[in-house]
Amino acid sequence: MGSPRRSRRGRGLAALAAVLTGVMVAGTACGGDDDGGAGGKITLTVDTFGEFGYEELFKQYEAQHPNIKIRSRKVSDLDTYKPQLQRWIGTGSGAGDVVAIEEGLLPTYMQQANKFVNLFDHGGAALKENFLDWKWQMGLTPDGKQLMALGTDIGPLGMCYRKDLFAKAGLPTERDEVTKLWPTWDDFLKRGQEFQGKVSGTKWLDGPQALLRVTVLQEAGKGPGYSYFDKSNNFVVDSNPAVRTAFDTVLKFQQAKLTANMQIFTPPWQTGLKRDAFATVPCPAWMLGGIEEYSGDYGKGKWDVAGIPGGAGYWGGSWLAVPKQTKHPKEAAELAKFLTSPQGQLGAFKSANTFPSSPKLYSDPAVAQASNPYFNNAPVGKIFGDAASQVKPVHLGPKNEDVRQELENVLVAVGEGKTQPGQAWTEGVDKARGVSD
């Protein structure tokens, strides 16, 4: 994906917008415009990306806490959110009172734990049983003395597909039959070639980024339990077979021109959903909320969920943390505890299909028997519940996101014809190494 060249007028407007945005951010971040004194409300800003499903929970919390007003700052995609959060935390100014931290970013901020409130100081120890053990452990500092973040969701995998486009290609459309089409990623590639041979104007997959993230975590889960960095945080992209296998898998799809070369949640991807730009999307549970939001009425009833090729895996899942720069640590911690409680996780699941990290909910009929009408009543509770039971957590290093981005950029460049497939691996390793320190 290239960046369009902008005119001087465009650059001027962009600069003006940046200044105005800076003014707005300065005026709205971290506690808002009042301090709760003299009977005034406390404003808590919550920073998230993608779709967490929190809107109704915010209303519920405000109704239960008349002194609290919640301001939601949500950006569409992680790669836009990432530098904003880094700047806010790095400068000690501008962050929300509660911030979402995606799993790939968590190791980075764990090295800056002194910039976050210790949630043990706000009753966090009593919450341990609310979470899967590995999810709880990942929110702790290595010495176990600080609870830096509380888990939200996990991302067990399925494959979202367009039933109407599959019918157009003469492929099976019922989810159990569709799952049988692709036990392996090679099978999935073959079905994609068949599909594109019969349906013009629609790519098989949305892009290489989602595919790389899924396959790296799948292969790492099957193998060593780590991906770009070993458990001592040494750079191992060039020596870890799990990464090479995943990279080569995605490269095959790029060489065969089976992806639309788009990145999830970006404006082109959002538009592509409504223009039949692609027929399948690797789907962690939380992806369903994004597809529904951006596809809207156009996509209702057209999407369904099948099994993922290549075996069980996961992608994503997040935590909530409270930066020390907040003016209201007590109130912010209470809000984070509410949003990550079993009650909060259930509300988010119902709203955006973000699969809970609380095992207390796995036998709850509201989760176990859940179906999603937008996705042809797919039994999402069973599909993602079965996948969640097989999740093997993967160690991610502090520079995981930087390395991931470099590898993805090379694969995008292959799709654009800017990098030769035979040079992609070497180029990817070199660029990844360059950002690994």
Side-chain angles (χ1 to χ4, degrees):
M1 295 179 290
S3 299
R5 183 176 295 174
R6 293 183 296 177
S7 66
R8 176 173 294 186
R9 172 178 166 76
R11 291 195 295 271
L13 290 173
L16 176 60
V19 170
L20 292 174
T21 299
V23 171
M24 291 174 64
V25 167
T28 60
C30 221
D33 50 8
D34 54 44
D35 60 6
K41 285 190 175 184
I42 291 173
T43 299
L44 298 177
T45 299
V46 179
D47 287 316
T48 62
F49 56 90
E51 183 52 72
F52 276 67
Y54 282 165
E55 298 309 315
E56 290 302 318
L57 289 170
F58 289 159
K59 294 177 184 176
Q60 181 181 339
Y61 195 82
E62 287 177 334
Q64 295 171 349
H65 300 81
N67 65 320
I68 299 294
K69 176 183 177 182
I70 299 173
R71 176 183 292 121
S72 175
R73 287 193 308 194
K74 181 174 70 174
V75 299
S76 62
D77 64 281
L78 178 62
D79 286 336
T80 300
Y81 179 76
K82 182 174 65 174
Q84 293 176 342
L85 184 62
Q86 288 175 337
R87 183 172 64 254
W88 293 331
I89 300 301
T91 61
S93 177
D97 301 276
V98 177
V99 297
I101 302 179
E102 196 262 353
E103 65 162 358
L105 298 177
L106 187 66
T108 299
Y109 291 109
M110 195 57 74
Q111 293 190 326
Q112 306 172 54
N114 62 337
K115 296 181 179 178
F116 293 88
V117 169
N118 186 354
L119 296 171
F120 278 145
D121 296 336
H122 298 276
L127 307 177
K128 181 178 180 181
E129 299 305 316
N130 286 351
F131 301 91
L132 291 167
D133 183 64
W134 63 267
K135 189 78 174 182
W136 171 262
Q137 294 295 332
M138 290 177 73
L140 295 171
T141 52
D143 62 7
K145 294 181 178 179
Q146 180 178 346
L147 179 59
M148 197 194 85
L150 291 168
T152 58
D153 62 317
I154 59 175
L157 293 170
M159 179 64 75
C160 293
Y161 68 99
R162 283 278 299 271
K163 290 189 71 168
D164 58 326
L165 296 177
F166 272 43
K168 192 174 180 180
L171 292 172
T173 60
E174 295 306 314
R175 64 183 71 91
D176 290 342
E177 294 301 311
V178 170
T179 299
K180 293 176 183 176
L181 290 175
W182 49 54
T184 69
W185 286 108
D186 284 341
D187 294 322
F188 186 74
L189 186 144
K190 291 175 184 174
R191 300 294 88 77
Q193 291 172 322
E194 294 169 8
F195 174 89
Q196 288 193 195
K198 296 178 180 177
V199 179
S200 62
T202 300
K203 294 292 186 180
W204 181 233
L205 266 167
D206 58 343
Q209 290 100 336
L211 185 56
L212 183 68
R213 295 186 204 193
V214 165
T215 52
V216 164
L217 290 168
Q218 278 183 321
E219 293 300 320
K222 295 175 192 172
Y226 56 81
S227 57
Y228 307 134
F229 297 87
D230 66 18
K231 293 182 180 179
S232 298
N233 291 328
N234 297 307
F235 177 80
V236 293
V237 166
D238 54 344
S239 60
N240 186 351
V243 178
R244 182 63 189 267
T245 298
F247 189 92
D248 287 348
T249 296
V250 182
L251 189 59
K252 290 178 187 177
F253 284 83
Q254 291 297 82
Q255 288 180 275
K257 300 188 182 305
L258 290 176
T259 86
N261 232 22
M262 294 178 179
Q263 184 175 2
I264 63 164
F265 294 160
T266 57
W269 186 88
Q270 295 173 24
T271 302
L273 284 169
K274 296 182 178 179
R275 294 184 176 175
D276 301 346
F278 42 85
T280 64
V281 178
C283 264
W286 47 262
M287 184 72 78
L288 272 63
I291 290 176
E292 180 174 351
E293 177 176 352
Y294 297 121
S295 191
D297 290 341
Y298 178 79
K300 187 174 184 178
K302 294 178 179 175
W303 287 93
D304 208 319
V305 187
I308 193 80
Y314 76 105
W315 168 18
S318 296
W319 284 256
L320 296 183
V322 177
K324 278 189 177 175
Q325 58 189 269
T326 178
K327 297 178 182 176
H328 308 291
K330 177 178 180 294
E331 290 80 6
E334 290 303 315
L335 177 57
K337 287 162 61 177
F338 167 74
L339 293 171
T340 57
S341 68
Q343 175 192 4
Q345 292 193 37
L346 181 59
F349 174 72
K350 289 179 177 178
S351 175
N353 212 77
T354 51
F355 200 80
S357 62
S358 176
K360 292 182 176 180
L361 294 173
Y362 293 169
S363 59
D364 188 320
V367 174
Q369 299 174 20
S371 61
N372 191 317
Y374 191 91
F375 289 80
N376 277 292
N377 292 312
V380 292
K382 176 171 175 46
I383 291 172
F384 293 115
D386 289 348
S389 68
Q390 303 174 59
V391 164
K392 296 180 180 178
V394 173
H395 172 79
L396 304 175
K399 290 289 185 177
N400 179 82
E401 288 303 287
D402 299 288
V403 167
R404 170 191 65 77
Q405 185 74 63
E406 292 298 333
L407 293 174
E408 289 177 359
N409 288 345
V410 170
L411 288 164
V412 169
V414 171
E416 294 173 334
K418 296 177 179 177
T419 294
Q420 293 301 309
Q423 299 172 349
W425 174 247
T426 300
E427 184 176 327
V429 170
D430 289 345
K431 291 188 173 181
R433 193 190 308 279
V435 298
S436 64
D437 294 327

